[in-house]
Amino acid sequence: MLCVIAKLDDASTDKLNSLMNNVHAEVGLFRPLYGHITIATYLGKDEAGFIAYCKKRMKTVPSFPVMYHKVEVLAKSSILVATPEKNAALKRLHHQVCERYSNALDEWTNGDAWYPHTTLLHSPNADLNRICCMVSRDFIPFPAFVRRIEFSRVLKNGYEGIDRVDLAVSACCDPLAQKQ
């Protein structure tokens, strides 16, 4: 299994981690986040061909903002997530993968089933609704920025980053570009 992820900037990942640090102190559940939004999960056999296709399509994509607007529980997956709006840039990335590889994507990232989110906590045994209420008290909607696209292989005990595409810095919407 190979994931295509939109990697968030460090400041946004830090914001999400600080939300979860507050929960950790009370309920003891926390693992530092690798701030990202999964664009697609490829189940096919030709990983090299899949990566080459995606890299070719995504190499001209500029960095872009996403607006995180809520925290919620996705009960079917036993996860607490921060949910960004499904903006045009995210939809375009997802469409680029789906238009060629929809038959090789998992059930969660294929077509209209795709629901962009950043997983904050996966815990089938925790009271995720209670934890969501705790996190929601401190959550304030905020913009995050996607800096690159990464490809990572799912392993038994985690992930292995295998390739990436750094996105062009977009001066119109990226605070790092505005400082230069």
Side-chain angles (χ1 to χ4, degrees):
M1 210 175 349
L2 185 71
C3 295
V4 180
I5 64 172
K7 180 68 175 98
L8 302 178
D9 64 294
D10 292 341
S12 300
T13 298
D14 290 347
K15 274 187 188 184
L16 294 171
N17 271 316
S18 78
L19 278 171
M20 295 309 295
N21 278 334
N22 296 339
V23 170
H24 176 62
E26 189 165 328
V27 297
L29 296 170
F30 179 68
R31 198 171 94 195
L33 303 174
Y34 189 72
H36 73 279
I37 301 166
T38 301
I39 302 298
T41 302
Y42 176 70
L43 303 175
K45 302 282 186 226
D46 183 15
E47 288 184 356
F50 175 75
I51 290 171
Y53 170 83
C54 290
K55 285 180 76 170
K56 183 178 179 183
R57 299 294 303 264
M58 296 173 183
K59 71 180 178 184
T60 60
V61 173
S63 62
F64 60 91
V66 293
M67 184 68 180
Y68 279 89
H69 59 91
K70 65 181 173 181
V71 177
E72 64 184 315
V73 173
L74 300 182
K76 191 172 181 181
S77 305
S78 300
I79 56 177
L80 174 68
V81 301
T83 307
E85 66 179 304
K86 198 184 231 185
N87 67 17
L90 280 174
K91 287 193 266 189
R92 193 168 27 258
L93 283 173
H94 183 253
H95 176 74
Q96 287 177 340
V97 177
C98 284
E99 71 183 353
R100 177 145 177 206
Y101 287 99
S102 64
N103 292 337
L105 300 181
D106 74 352
E107 67 177 304
W108 305 105
T109 62
N110 193 354
D112 293 336
W114 177 64
Y115 187 70
H117 63 273
T118 298
T119 300
L120 302 175
L121 176 66
H122 172 259
S123 183
N125 300 320
D127 184 349
L128 292 177
N129 289 315
R130 181 174 81 81
I131 295 169
C132 184
C133 288
M134 292 168 54
V135 173
S136 294
R137 284 190 308 244
D138 297 327
F139 180 80
I140 298 169
F142 69 96
F145 296 88
V146 173
R147 303 278 188 233
R148 68 180 171 262
I149 304 301
E150 296 181 351
F151 302 89
S152 59
R153 186 173 292 117
V154 179
L155 305 173
K156 287 182 182 180
N157 295 319
Y159 298 89
E160 172 192 17
I162 58 172
D163 210 339
R164 68 192 246 177
V165 176
D166 290 316
L167 303 181
V169 177
S170 174
C172 71
C173 59
D174 191 324
L176 289 182
Q178 293 169 4
K179 291 178 184 177
Q180 297 176 358

